[in-house]
Structures are given as structure tokens and as C-alpha cells.
Amino acid sequence: MGHKELSFASQAAPALPGDSIDHVDTPALLVDLDAFEDNLTRVHNRVLQAGLKVRSHGKAHKSPAIAHRQLAAGATGICCQKVSEAEIFVQAGIQDILITNQIVGLRKVARVAALAAHAKIAICVDHPLQVEQIGDAASKQGSHLDVLIEVDIGHQRCGISNAHQAIDLARTIEQYSPHLRFAGIHAFRGSAQHMRLPQERAAAVSSAVEKVRGIIRELEASDFHCDIVTGGGTGTYMLEASSSLYTEVQPGSYVLMDTDYAANTPAADSPPLRHALFGLCTVISVQAGHAVLDGGLKAFAVDHGLPRLQLPGWSVQTLSDEHTVIVPEVGAAPVHVGDKVRLIPSHCDPTVNLHDWLIAYRGQTVQEAWPVSARGALF
Amino acid sequence: MGHKELSFASQAAPALPGDSIDHVDTPALLVDLDAFEDNLTRVHNRVLQAGLKVRSHGKAHKSPAIAHRQLAAGATGICCQKVSEAEIFVQAGIQDILITNQIVGLRKVARVAALAAHAKIAICVDHPLQVEQIGDAASKQGSHLDVLIEVDIGHQRCGISNAHQAIDLARTIEQYSPHLRFAGIHAFRGSAQHMRLPQERAAAVSSAVEKVRGIIRELEASDFHCDIVTGGGTGTYMLEASSSLYTEVQPGSYVLMDTDYAANTPAADSPPLRHALFGLCTVISVQAGHAVLDGGLKAFAVDHGLPRLQLPGWSVQTLSDEHTVIVPEVGAAPVHVGDKVRLIPSHCDPTVNLHDWLIAYRGQTVQEAWPVSARGALF
């Protein structure tokens, strides 16, 4: 029935090192290496100078090539959100991973416990059942894991909410299995990252720090020591870094950026990061009053709004599964079938997750094609 | 630097044939085979009895396993939206493919022309440059392609808009290269599929038919014969099938369905299709007033709204990258960490594109794990 002998380029990279960026096949994601490296160096230096560790979040880029650059720039390790993501990063040689999530289900805990035999793995919990599942799996596997208690600092998603719960859970961690170690607190608030004004973000982090500090005080009073206090993202990392409480921060989007993060007003002492991630599309149809690009909802996530077109006088009107319709202002220069145009994604994480490749370039030349190895790693 | 010797389950299917559906790892997509087969049989029988061909759209499922079932149920061939999709389906043994899109760019036309040496391939055009690019590539490759002229019937995306343009373009197709054959008209309006009332959809298709009929009349008067008139989707296929104009229809979502299509009021003679596609998630955290599932924006597309939870008394509040927060009505039965729940996707095409596997089950038992082989085929 099949043509097993046939082999097509279906999964090949849209460009190779040395190609001109004009020859990248579309729709593709480009990474401007100058901007990427600026962002990487600036954020890491600020955090390291403040005396904290950087644990870059791999969920934003899903690419071991980027993780290795983050480690080379001083990151302690990376964060993942999924067990299967962590597997892919460990396989690529990353040795220190925090899974910033609750891991529930016997298949998943068995995989985490197996992974912990090959790398330093930490996970988060907010319920005794999670501790029991991972404890049983680690005992069976003979591996050891660090366990962080997640505290809800206003995100209203996962996390315990008071010291009483924290002490009970720390006790469960310490008593349930000698394969688990209570290592500290995970306190991250996604919604704080996107508050537009610096004073809003400062107030959110300040209130989080107060809450976490109170919980830690009571944990210490019950002889549970918090080695690690981790959290903070691209929008707030310097607030956590100057809190005298957090020991590490977890920025993810900072190396790539997107229009949603760029819409934040930066703090006075914090120049804005640069857009390093761009969608590249080809104009495939030109009509009276609009033109059509060859990438749509399967190339750009729209949960944080439409991608922003970088073409003077033109803007994005709508996206459908495979197309983006763009429209001109009066007097805009015409576009032509075959033209290539760039768009800045509105939300980098789910956009990168739609692509198998990131095309890293400098100037006009492709330097590397980075596989998005953990693309679609959902489990 | 890497652990090349390590091998983890990262890309493995979340279930195997014979597994209970209670043991499917999450977040996963399930396909209810009874509903799937009902939808398949019902739509194909209605179209075939009306004397038209069914050319199922592969962009909805991206899975050769489904395409082969569509062919076995009488489909003539499939539609694809992308060259790389078509490559994957040809490699899986599908021999007759219409790419319902304009193919622009020298790399892409070279790939289409190469593919046409192995299978019957048709493409769409709305501009002479597209004809020239594919004509040159087919001549170089020595392959032959059918070329359809796309007519804009109200979608305001791609497509020519009058008979004059159609005749010019048909002449270009016939004259530019002996490797191209003018084969007819592609006339599809995505927006008509989701008009809620049957009379709205009927009016849209009626006006499209009138426009296309006028263009075909003038093409025939200039000696350009239209073998193929193709279009119509899950929302309108029976309208095109009873038009005495279309020769084939292109439904895609019909086998899987989603909440957006289910929100259409069906025509009186057309009982609604069944939901066959379900997201399966695990409750990973339970808090006062809400609970959290282990799949978010990377498991469910939200461009057509939030997925619909199938859990009495609970509803979806919000999705973030990796989580879905669900909230109870007063008096709803509690959920527990580890519970598995189902959600109906709002838009099947971009949701399937987020997953590497479709888990086909019957009753309580997994029958097959279908790879979404063309997942992410963007080029």
C-alpha cells in the first residue's frame, strides 16, 4: 500500500547554514542571533551579579541547542514543564532539570523516577498523592529526587496556600520515602509577568515574597529547611532577584521575546529586551485590497493576539488555519506574489511549539538550523 | 556532551492497542471509532449517492491511517494544504492528491513537481507567476500536473474574481507548459461552513454556484473545459452535492467534528454528525473553588473558543500554556487528583496539529494508535 522506498524532504530544515535568509523556505521561524545573544547575556549577567542562579525555562524554546547556550552563559540548569520534555533535554546532555509542575499518573512518575537515575531532577507538589506516587516510583527505581512545594502566590492555578499545608506536605515528603528530599519552594505567578506597569509587577512580587517568607519562617520553625526558592519569569525576574528570598529565577521567553512581553513598560533600570524571534512568510496571493501569506494558525499561536506584521503600511487582518490575510493603509507600497515578509509572534512559547526548526541567522546569513526537539512533548 | 546511548519514551504513543482507555497517558486525543465510522459512512454515502466524488481533506487529520479509511469508504483521493503534507501522504501510499492552495517559491514548486512523478497531483493558482513557477519545475522534472483556477466565492482570501481573469489564467496554464493541464475550478469558502443557520449556508452556496457557473460558461465559450469543479466542506457539502455544478466535495472535519461545527443548526434532511474527537486530561491539582488539568494551549487550539469539558457541573475557566483551569457550579461533585476527564475541542484541525498521536478506541478499549504523520508539515 505504501511507497516505503520514497523519501521526501517533508521533515527537512527550511534552510541550511550558509544560506541567505532570502532563501529560507516558509512559513519558518527565524532567530536573530545578535538580539538573542544580547538578551541572553544581559539577563544572565544581571541575575548572576545579584547572586542568584539562573534556571532558564525550556518550555519557551524546547530546543537543546538553546539550552546549551544558556548553560554556557552561566545557567545552573533548566526548567521543563513536562516529563517528556525533560527526557529530551537529558538525552541532549542537560544534567540539572526542575520540572515546574505536578506529575500525576503511574506512567509519568515511573518515567520521572527513571530519568532521575541519569540526571539531577526536581519536581513540584501541592498534594500528598503526588508525593506518594513519585515516592513509590523512586523507591522502585532506586533513584533520588528533590521535591519542591508549590505555593500559590496569586496565579490561582496550582499550589498550596498556607503554612499549615506546607508543613504537612514537607512532613509527607520527608517521611514517605528516603528517595525524596524536601528541597524548598516553587512560587511562580504567570499572570504577574504580563502586568503592564513596573509598579504593578513590583506590588505583585512584593506580596508574593511576603507570603512565601511567612511560610518559610513557619517551615523552618518546624525544622524543614528550604534550600531552594525558585520562580520569576521574563517580566519580573529582577524583582525576585532583589528580594533577598529567592535563590534562583526561571525566565524563559527572554531569549526570544514576543509582542505580549514587549507591551510591558520596562522598569526604569531595565532596558527592554530585543525581539529575536520572527515568523517568515511568503505572499502567495495578491487581491484588490488584501494579500495572503502562507502561514496561519498552524504557524502562529493567537491566544495572546495576532502576530505583528513588519511591513510598512500593512497590517494583519485575520488568520485562518493555513493563511494570514494582510491589508494595506491608503498609499501603502504594493506587495507582490513571492515577496517574503516578517511577523513578530504574539506569544513565543506556543508558537515555537508549532515548528520543528528555529533558523538562527546573523546579518543576512543562516548560521544554524536548531531542531525544536521537544516540540509537541506533551506527556 | 549528550547521552546518545540513553533512550526514553518521549515520542512514544500514549497508549497501545488493547489498553483500557483509563490507562491512556495524558493529555491525549481520543477518537471514538463508532462515531468516526458513522460520520465517515453517512457523509460518503450521501455524496456518492448524489453522483459526486468525495475528496476528503487531509489537513483536518494529517493522518495516513485516516486517509486510507476514507479511500476504503469510497473517497477518490484526498486534499492537502501543504506540499510537505502531500509528500507524507504519497509516501504512505495515497495516489491522488489535490493541494488546495497556491504554491509559491522555487523550493516548493520543485518538490511538487518531483512528487507529481509518483502520484496524481493537482494544485490551485490565482496568478500567472504561480503558473510559471510550477510550469518550469514540471518541465525540468518531466512530470505532469493538473492545475485548477481558484475562484473567490466570498471568502475574500485567495482566488480570482471574474471570467476575464479566469480566461487569461487558463490560457497561461495551457500555453506556458505542456506539463500543465487546465483541469477546472477550485471554489471553497471557509466562512460559509460555519454560518449557523441552514438558510444562510444555502444562500452562500447558491450565490457561489451562480458566480462559478457564469465563469465556467465564459471559459467554455473560449474553449477551456472544466473537468473538475471542487469545493465544499463539512458545513455545506450537501449543498454543493446538489448544485448540478460541483463534481467533488472536500469535507475534512466531518470524521472528527468539534464544538464549532456542532454549533451549526443542521439542515432538516441532515442529522448532525457525532463528536468523535476528545481530549483526555488528568486532574493534577485540586484547590478551593477550582481544579487544574494537565493540558493547555499546547494541547488544545483556542482560536474557535475554549474546549468544552464533559464533566457534569464543571466548566473550563481558562487555558494557559500547559494547564486548563476548571471550575464547579454550586453543588457539583468534587474531583480528585488523578481523575481523568474529557474535553471536546473547539477546532479540530489546529488541535490535531498539536499532537503526534490519535488514540482510536471502541467501548473501553484502545484499538489503534494512529500517528499524526503530517503534524507540523508547514512547507
Side-chain angles (χ1 to χ4, degrees), chain B residues 311-378:
Chain B
L311 181 67
W314 289 76
S315 59
V316 170
Q317 183 183 64
T318 184
L319 275 74
S320 49
D321 287 5
E322 323 278 358
H323 299 101
T324 292
V325 175
I326 62 173
V327 290
E329 294 168 11
V330 175
V335 298
H336 302 97
V337 171
D339 286 356
K340 287 188 171 165
V341 299
R342 291 187 182 204
L343 303 96
I344 304 177
S346 55
H347 190 180
C348 61
D349 306 45
T351 297
V352 170
N353 187 52
L354 295 170
H355 292 258
D356 287 326
W357 298 93
L358 293 167
I359 302 302
Y361 73 98
R362 206 183 299 276
Q364 292 298 306
T365 309
V366 173
Q367 302 294 321
E368 300 193 41
W370 294 336
V372 186
S373 309
R375 195 276 333 141
L378 282 170

Side-chain angles (χ1 to χ4, degrees), chain A residues 1-16 19 23-28 59-60 62 68 81-82 84-85 87-88 90-95 100-105 107-108 111 114-115 118 126-127 129-130 133 152 155-161 165 282-287 290 292 294-295 297-299 302-304 317 320-323 325 337-339 347 349-350 353-357 373-379, chain B residues 1-16 19 23-28 59-60 62 68 81-82 84-85 87-88 90-95 100-105 107-108 111 114-115 118 126-127 129-130 133 152 155-161 165 282-287 290 292 294-295 297-299 302-304 317 320-323 325 337-339 347 349-350 353-357 373-379:
Chain A
M1 211 167 189
H3 284 244
K4 300 295 181 199
E5 77 281 6
L6 295 178
S7 176
F8 298 111
S10 330
Q11 308 297 346
L16 295 174
D19 284 354
H23 294 149
V24 175
D25 203 0
T26 59
K59 75 185 260 294
K62 288 179 170 275
H68 283 300
Q81 197 67 10
K82 295 289 183 169
S84 51
E85 261 177 20
E87 289 172 341
I88 289 162
V90 169
Q91 196 150 2
I94 309 294
Q95 279 294 300
T100 54
N101 210 352
Q102 285 63 27
I103 309 302
V104 176
R107 289 180 60 158
K108 284 198 177 67
R111 286 165 69 166
L115 199 60
H118 299 283
D126 67 1
H127 190 282
L129 180 68
Q130 299 149 0
Q133 285 196 352
D152 179 9
H155 198 80
Q156 296 183 287
R157 202 167 59 191
C158 302
I160 59 98
S161 55
Q165 291 172 301
T282 299
V283 174
I284 60 167
S285 183
V286 176
Q287 306 295 332
H290 74 269
V292 184
D294 63 353
L297 296 169
K298 292 179 186 170
V302 296
D303 52 277
H304 286 197
Q317 182 182 66
S320 49
D321 287 6
E322 324 277 357
H323 300 100
V325 175
V337 170
D339 287 356
H347 190 182
D349 306 46
N353 186 52
L354 295 169
H355 292 258
D356 287 326
W357 298 93
S373 309
R375 195 274 334 139
L378 282 170
F379 301 110
Chain B
M1 215 167 186
H3 286 242
K4 299 296 181 201
E5 77 281 6
L6 294 179
S7 175
F8 298 111
S10 331
Q11 308 297 346
L16 296 174
D19 284 354
H23 294 149
V24 176
D25 204 0
T26 60
K59 76 185 259 293
K62 288 179 170 275
H68 283 299
Q81 197 67 12
K82 295 288 180 169
S84 51
E85 261 178 19
E87 288 172 340
I88 289 162
V90 169
Q91 197 150 3
I94 309 294
Q95 280 294 302
T100 53
N101 210 353
Q102 285 64 27
I103 309 303
V104 176
R107 288 180 59 158
K108 283 198 177 65
R111 287 165 69 167
L115 198 61
H118 299 281
D126 67 1
H127 190 282
L129 180 68
Q130 300 149 359
Q133 284 196 353
D152 178 9
H155 197 81
Q156 296 183 288
R157 203 167 58 190
C158 303
I160 59 99
S161 54
Q165 292 173 300
T282 299
V283 174
I284 60 166
S285 183
V286 176
Q287 304 297 331
H290 73 271
V292 184
D294 64 353
L297 296 169
K298 293 180 185 169
V302 296
D303 52 278
H304 286 198
Q317 183 183 64
S320 49
D321 287 5
E322 323 278 358
H323 299 101
V325 175
V337 171
D339 286 356
H347 190 180
D349 306 45
N353 187 52
L354 295 170
H355 292 258
D356 287 326
W357 298 93
S373 309
R375 195 276 333 141
L378 282 170
F379 301 109

Side-chain angles (χ1 to χ4, degrees), chain A residues 28 30 33 94 117 182 227 248 270 301 352:
Chain A
L30 305 180
L33 278 170
I94 309 294
F182 169 66
D227 270 352
E248 65 178 32
S270 179
V352 170

